[in-house]
């Protein structure tokens, strides 16, 4: 089966600019996650969707970050405006159901200068 | 809250050496435990898992036993190879709190020929 697809692979922007990342989960997976992985740290959950509804966004900096999954399939994560500390790898993952293993994409590496 | 603590790296070993990467956890409920591996330039991959106390997860020569009494899930391999060089993440899902995966900080393993 095809894995979780993410794009772009790399992105370099200046602070205060905006950026968007895209994720296409494994077909049929109802649950989708966005994680932020800062260099040298473990991934931190930003937001979890179940179909097109938000399950958990308690760690999403909502003043600058937003995410949507309008049709319950693809998802986009946006940062506006970006800060230097947003430099990280943004990982998308999906799972078939609650308590099923998560499958991760290769991530988007964001550098904010 | 839930948390995962791993030994800091990097861990540097010679080929065929014995590997142990320590992992301890704190959870409010009864978690499922996981080890994920991240090879250079790739996304996170599930390595092994255990869903209840005394379970042993194993895959590719790696093993970890769920020890509730010591709240630990140490990763072991009897004979490492150069190809095992990667970053290893211990993680948990609190089965009473949806499917949110909480990661440790990761341990980089470097195996020299």
């Amino acid at each position: 089966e095809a894995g979780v697809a993410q794009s772009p692979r790399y992105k370099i922007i200046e602070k205060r600019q905006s950026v968007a990342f895209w994720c296409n989960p494994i077909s049929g997976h109802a649950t989708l996650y966005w994680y932020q992985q800062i260099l040298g740290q473990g991934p931190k959950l930003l937001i979890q969707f179940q179909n097109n509804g938000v399950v958990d966004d308690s760690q999403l900096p909502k003043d600058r970050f937003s995410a949507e999954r309008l049709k319950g399939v693809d998802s986009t994560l946006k940062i506006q405006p970006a800060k230097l500390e947003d430099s990280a790898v943004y990982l998308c993952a999906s799972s078939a159901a609650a308590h099923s293993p998560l499958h991760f994409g290769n991530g988007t590496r964001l550098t904010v200068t | 809250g839930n948390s995962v603590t791993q030994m800091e790296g990097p861990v540097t070993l010679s080929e065929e050496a014995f590997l142990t990467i320590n992992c301890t956890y704190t959870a409010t409920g009864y978690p499922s435990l996981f080890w994920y591996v991240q090879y250079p330039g790739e996304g996170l991959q599930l390595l092994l898992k255990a869903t209840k106390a005394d379970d042993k997860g194993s895959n590719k020569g790696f093993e970890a036993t769920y020890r509730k009494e010591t709240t630990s899930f140490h990763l072991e391999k009897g004979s490492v190879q150069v190809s095992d060089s990667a970053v290893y993440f211990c993680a948990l899902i609190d089965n009473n709190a949806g499917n949110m995966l909480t990661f440790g900080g990761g341990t980089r393993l470097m195996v020299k020929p």
Side-chain angles (χ1 to χ4, degrees), chain B residues 53-105:
Chain B
D54 300 324
D55 270 1
K56 177 185 285 188
S58 60
N59 185 26
K60 299 181 181 180
F62 290 88
E63 293 183 340
T65 301
Y66 189 143
R67 301 287 188 198
K68 186 179 178 183
E69 63 276 15
T70 55
T71 61
S72 65
F73 193 54
H74 304 321
L75 182 68
E76 298 181 335
K77 186 174 185 181
S79 176
V80 293
Q81 305 300 312
V82 173
S83 57
D84 294 327
S85 298
V87 182
Y88 292 82
F89 292 92
C90 187
L92 69 83
I93 287 178
D94 185 340
N95 294 313
N96 292 329
N99 209 30
M100 189 178 85
L101 201 59
T102 300
F103 285 91

Side-chain angles (χ1 to χ4, degrees), chain B residues 6-75:
Chain B
Q6 293 180 234
M7 62 188 291
E8 290 192 14
V11 174
T12 303
L13 296 174
S14 297
E15 209 165 20
E16 298 183 3
F18 185 86
L19 169 71
T20 300
I21 299 178
N22 291 338
C23 170
T24 57
Y25 66 90
T26 302
T28 54
Y30 298 93
S32 295
L33 302 174
F34 305 82
W35 277 99
Y36 278 80
V37 59
Q38 189 172 34
Y39 297 104
E42 298 184 15
L44 287 158
Q45 302 174 27
L46 178 64
L47 180 60
L48 54 85
K49 67 176 182 179
T51 57
K52 61 183 187 297
D54 300 324
D55 270 1
K56 177 185 285 188
S58 60
N59 185 26
K60 299 181 181 180
F62 290 88
E63 293 183 340
T65 301
Y66 189 143
R67 301 287 188 198
K68 186 179 178 183
E69 63 276 15
T70 55
T71 61
S72 65
F73 193 54
H74 304 321
L75 182 68

Side-chain angles (χ1 to χ4, degrees), chain A residues 62-83:
Chain A
K62 298 180 186 63
D63 58 333
R64 299 183 300 106
F65 286 65
S66 64
E68 59 184 13
R69 194 185 184 200
L70 292 176
K71 297 182 179 179
V73 181
D74 293 5
S75 177
T76 55
L77 175 70
K78 297 179 181 178
I79 307 175
Q80 181 180 8
K83 293 185 175 182

